[in-house]
Amino acid sequence: SQQGEEDPQALSIQEGENATMNCSYKTSINNLQWYRQNSGRGLVHLILIRSNEREKHSGRLRVTLDTSKKSSSLLITASRAADTASYFCATGGKNTGNQFYFGTGTSLTVIP
Amino acid sequence: EAGVTQFPSHSVIEKGQTVTLRCDPISGHDNLYWYRRVMGKEIKFLLHFVKESKQDESGMPNNRFLAERTGGTYSTLKVQPAELEDSGVYFCASSHYRYNEQFFGPGTRLTVL
């Protein structure tokens, strides 16, 4: 399985602090994506990073990818209460079509 | 641009009944996917359509699940007969090209009693 696994499972920080979540996977990938899910809502696509990229930015989000370590990190800077949600990484395989493998997610709580 | 929509948002049925979930992908997206999240577990891939053809259905749990995408537009996922373990949230996603980001719908929460 090339299932992504997020770490930590839960994270609680104060508003304004930075939040870092990590994702590890097991096999070769074509791309890795991060999604956010607010309680009871659908998945919102945050950012996609391809296997030949090392870092991407989008607003307050910064994603890194280390294919040698089979890991990725998502950094949210200057967190806000509205960032409270579950965050998932999803890996797209090179040899398995483009179905995505999800981890169980990191639950982030930003305390106002 | 309208996003991926799913209907119904919630469904509560009894064991043995039939339920049909519907997904309308983003217009023009040839690729359509179904995923499922069972309580407390990871989101798991069920199957992938390219237009009306099933590209990969390796994640379908058993033959009680039937997915169709007639005409290559919207898709339905039928569970017949439903079992207790089928409870969970069923997500649909679509993408324009392979290896591009997948856009997810809000999900259908299925509860089998």
Side-chain angles (χ1 to χ4, degrees), chain B residues 74-95:
Chain B
Y74 71 90
S75 174
T76 58
L77 179 64
K78 180 190 289 187
V79 185
Q80 179 182 32
E83 299 289 344
L84 299 179
E85 63 265 26
D86 300 332
S87 295
V89 181
Y90 290 76
F91 292 101
C92 174
S94 71
S95 69

Side-chain angles (χ1 to χ4, degrees), chain B residues 6-76:
Chain B
Q6 292 186 245
F7 181 84
S9 57
H10 292 84
S11 180
V12 180
I13 60 172
E14 294 190 351
K15 176 182 173 181
Q17 290 186 320
T18 298
V19 62
T20 300
L21 314 180
R22 173 172 169 143
C23 168
D24 285 79
I26 293 172
S27 178
H29 281 192
D30 288 341
N31 296 276
L32 185 149
Y33 314 81
W34 283 98
Y35 293 85
R36 176 175 75 170
R37 187 181 191 194
V38 173
M39 176 90 68
K41 298 197 173 180
E42 69 274 12
I43 300 166
K44 283 197 169 180
F45 167 84
L46 296 178
L47 88 159
H48 169 210
F49 283 99
V50 177
K51 296 185 180 179
E52 67 275 9
S53 300
K54 291 176 185 174
Q55 183 77 11
D56 180 354
E57 52 184 331
S58 61
M60 294 288 264
N62 52 61
N63 59 11
R64 295 185 294 102
F65 289 75
L66 175 64
E68 294 180 323
R69 193 183 182 195
T70 306
T73 54
Y74 71 90
S75 174
T76 58

Side-chain angles (χ1 to χ4, degrees), chain A residues 3 30-31 33 35 37 40-45 48 50 86 88 93-105, chain B residues 31 33 35 37 40-45 48 56 58-59 89 91 95 97-107 109:
Chain A
Q3 177 182 338
N30 180 279
N31 61 60
Q33 305 190 31
Y35 288 85
Q37 184 182 27
R41 308 289 290 275
L43 291 162
V44 175
H45 180 263
L48 176 152
R50 301 194 187 280
S86 291
F88 298 88
K94 284 188 173 180
N95 301 313
T96 58
N98 58 338
Q99 61 169 283
F100 286 173
Y101 293 88
F102 284 84
T104 52
Chain B
N31 296 276
Y33 314 81
Y35 293 85
R37 187 181 191 194
K41 298 197 173 180
E42 69 274 12
I43 300 166
K44 283 197 169 180
F45 167 84
H48 169 210
D56 180 354
S58 61
V89 181
F91 292 101
S95 69
Y97 297 111
R98 288 182 74 171
Y99 307 124
N100 274 23
E101 55 264 35
Q102 297 184 10
F103 296 91
F104 280 74
R109 181 173 296 276

